[in-house]
Amino acid sequence: DVKVTQSSRYLVKRTGEKVFLECVQDMDHENMFWYRQDPGLGLRLIYFSYDVKMKEKGDIPEGYSVSREKKERFSLILESASTNQTSMYLCASSLLRSPLHFGNGTRLTVT
Amino acid sequence: AQTVTQSQPEMSVQEAETVTLSCTYDTSESDYYLFWYKQPPSRQMILVIRQEAYKQQNATENRFSVNFQKAAKSFSLKISDSQLGDAAMYFCAYRSSHNTNAGKSTFGDGTTLTVKP
């Protein structure tokens, strides 16, 4: 079974801090994704990557950046955390025409 | 850009009965994939069922089946013999089959399903 592991289940950070959310998958998937989930808004794509060092902006990239130095790891970076980035963050990976495999999610609170 | 609409924010069903969750989408593409994902209260999202647009036959996975109407751009999920473990938020998702954009998925807002004992 594919395993997608997000490093933290819960995270509390202060406004202005730099925040790193880590995601690792173990199935050699080319594609990796970061979504943000908010009540009533579904899942919104922040960034995705289709290969090592390759990245593309999703629908809501403002305030975020990503890093993919190795195929199995995809990091989401909040350069200067703000309270409106309090949310659930979901990482996913997949092959090109296959379903997404999700991690457990990271509940981030910015105070 | 593709959009996915789930018009039912909440649904409830009696245990052992059948419920249908609605999903419509908008796209100009002819080849794509549609998915239903389930997110139980424990939060990990898992795949329920998938449908390839080029296949006319509706997908079925045990108690879960879809009604795929390509012309109407409709993709509903039917859950038969509902069980308490089916209680979750369900998301409909669209994914292009094209190589561009890494096949990124577009999700609906979700439907929260409650199963009553």
Side-chain angles (χ1 to χ4, degrees):
Chain A
D1 260 2
V2 176
K3 193 165 184 184
V4 180
T5 303
Q6 293 185 230
S7 55
S8 302
R9 191 92 176 215
Y10 298 95
L11 213 50
V12 180
K13 295 293 181 181
R14 294 196 180 276
T15 303
E17 277 192 80
K18 190 168 186 176
V19 182
F20 293 86
L21 302 184
E22 306 287 345
C23 176
V24 177
Q25 50 97 0
D26 65 357
M27 281 301 291
D28 205 35
H29 285 169
E30 302 97 344
N31 304 314
M32 296 189 75
F33 307 84
W34 275 107
Y35 285 90
R36 172 176 172 160
Q37 183 179 9
D38 299 289
L41 296 178
L43 274 70
R44 294 180 291 167
L45 182 63
I46 304 171
Y47 267 97
F48 64 100
S49 168
Y50 51 90
D51 203 349
V52 176
K53 296 190 187 294
M54 306 304 289
K55 59 187 179 185
E56 292 285 342
K57 292 180 180 179
D59 301 318
I60 52 165
E62 296 78 19
Y64 304 94
S65 63
V66 290
S67 171
R68 194 168 182 198
E69 296 297 319
K70 294 184 177 181
K71 192 173 185 179
E72 67 269 19
R73 186 180 297 269
F74 192 37
S75 303
L76 179 70
I77 303 156
L78 286 66
E79 298 290 343
S80 176
S82 64
T83 54
N84 62 13
Q85 293 178 309
T86 291
S87 186
M88 171 71 76
Y89 290 88
L90 297 177
C91 176
S93 73
S94 78
L95 297 172
L96 182 58
R97 295 183 179 85
S98 298
L100 299 180
H101 296 265
F102 286 89
N104 274 330
T106 296
R107 170 72 68 186
L108 173 67
T109 302
V110 182
T111 61
Chain B
Q2 294 80 23
T3 59
V4 177
T5 302
Q6 294 178 247
S7 59
Q8 307 152 316
E10 297 178 346
M11 291 282 285
S12 67
V13 63
Q14 208 68 35
E15 196 175 5
E17 294 189 346
T18 296
V19 65
T20 299
L21 308 184
S22 301
C23 174
T24 58
Y25 58 95
D26 189 25
T27 184
S28 58
E29 298 176 334
S30 59
D31 194 17
Y32 48 87
Y33 301 87
L34 295 166
F35 304 91
W36 278 98
Y37 291 93
K38 169 185 176 181
Q39 187 180 41
S42 63
R43 294 186 305 172
Q44 186 166 31
M45 193 95 68
I46 57 173
L47 176 71
V48 175
I49 198 165
R50 65 181 288 180
Q51 174 80 43
E52 291 89 347
Y54 65 86
K55 290 186 178 178
Q56 291 190 344
Q57 187 172 6
N58 289 325
T60 299
E61 287 286 341
N62 300 314
R63 298 182 295 107
F64 298 87
S65 61
V66 298
N67 183 4
F68 173 49
Q69 302 288 329
K70 191 172 184 180
K73 295 179 182 175
S74 171
F75 182 60
S76 60
L77 174 69
K78 186 171 84 171
I79 306 174
S80 303
D81 185 25
S82 297
Q83 300 176 358
L84 295 177
D86 295 333
M89 181 167 278
Y90 288 81
F91 290 94
C92 178
Y94 171 102
R95 188 170 194 184
S96 171
S97 68
H98 295 171
N99 287 338
T100 55
N101 292 323
K104 62 179 181 176
S105 299
T106 301
F107 286 80
D109 290 347
T111 297
T112 299
L113 178 66
T114 302
V115 181
K116 298 178 181 177

